[in-house]
């Protein structure tokens, strides 16, 4: 079996003042505070969430 591909993301801007749906997306990706990181499986759904809030996160 091959190991699933993962993507590591970091929250670099605060979601304060953003749309509520963008804040929910940040929480859905497992990010809480500034500079927090999360390692997730690289799926089309996760990629779409990252694209939605690309101005708030950095892919490591």
């Amino acid at each position: 079996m091959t190991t699933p591909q993962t993507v590591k993301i970091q929250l670099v801007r605060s979601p304060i003042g953003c749309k509520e749906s963008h804040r929910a997306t940040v929480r859905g990706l497992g990010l809480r505070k500034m500079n927090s990181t999360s390692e997730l499986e690289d799926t089309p759904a996760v990629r779409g969430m990252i694209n939605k809030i690309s101005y708030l996160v950095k892919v490591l």
Side-chain angles (χ1 to χ4, degrees):
M1 295 204 80
T2 60
T3 59
Q5 295 285 12
T6 61
V7 61
K8 193 170 187 179
I9 57 173
Q10 180 179 20
L11 186 64
V12 293
R13 286 191 60 196
S14 173
I16 294 174
C18 297
K19 291 182 177 180
E20 189 62 39
S21 64
H22 289 204
R23 274 187 241 162
T25 303
V26 169
R27 293 293 296 129
L29 288 171
L31 301 169
R32 286 182 167 265
K33 298 179 180 181
M34 291 287 297
N35 297 316
S36 63
T37 60
S38 182
E39 192 165 349
L40 302 163
E41 194 171 331
D42 192 10
T43 62
V46 170
R47 283 288 174 177
M49 292 171 80
I50 292 170
N51 286 339
K52 182 176 181 179
I53 59 165
S54 60
Y55 64 100
L56 296 174
V57 297
K58 176 172 69 172
V59 178
L60 302 175

